[in-house]
Amino acid sequence: MGFPPRELRDLQLRVRTEQQTSEWKTRYAVRSGVEGTVNEFAHGHDMRRCRYRGQGKAHIQHVLTAIAVNIERLSGLPPTEETPTPRQPTAFQNYLDQREISRPKSWRTLGT
């Protein structure tokens, strides 16, 4: 067992005391969340090796894998019991209502 050089020991002591501050812990909390996600991709979904050649194809593989992981995470969440609150009418919709003009149907409701 050896002793590190004085400069290295002083640096270690300074860094270890800095790690005890609440500011450092707050910054590290964000990083630890990101590190967990990166670890899940690297080990859980074998993202260290790419199936396709070329940067464009590799990028598409990573994006599609990220979408799949997000869907997987969302499917594990418990369903919400609350109904979403309806949005407030826009200024244009209020204008149409005040003049008793029928509102045009939304593209989302045209097929129903």
Side-chain angles (χ1 to χ4, degrees), residues 42-58:
H43 295 103
H45 301 283
D46 201 25
M47 295 305 289
R48 292 203 188 275
R49 300 210 183 268
C50 198
R51 182 175 209 159
Y52 306 103
R53 287 183 161 211
Q55 188 175 6
K57 293 177 188 175

Side-chain angles (χ1 to χ4, degrees), residues 8-25:
L8 180 60
R9 185 180 61 83
D10 292 343
L11 177 64
Q12 285 177 337
L13 289 174
R14 184 170 48 86
V15 168
R16 287 178 183 156
T17 54
E18 181 184 339
Q19 290 175 353
Q20 303 305 316
T21 63
S22 62
E23 178 185 317
W24 187 90
K25 289 179 182 180

Side-chain angles (χ1 to χ4, degrees), residues 24-63:
W24 187 90
K25 289 179 182 180
T26 303
R27 280 194 332 243
Y28 190 76
V30 173
R31 179 180 174 175
S32 67
V34 172
E35 291 290 335
T37 302
V38 170
N39 187 39
E40 178 185 352
F41 274 93
H43 295 103
H45 301 283
D46 201 25
M47 295 305 289
R48 292 203 188 275
R49 300 210 183 268
C50 198
R51 182 175 209 159
Y52 306 103
R53 287 183 161 211
Q55 188 175 6
K57 293 177 188 175
H59 175 72
I60 290 173
Q61 178 186 351
H62 289 110
V63 168

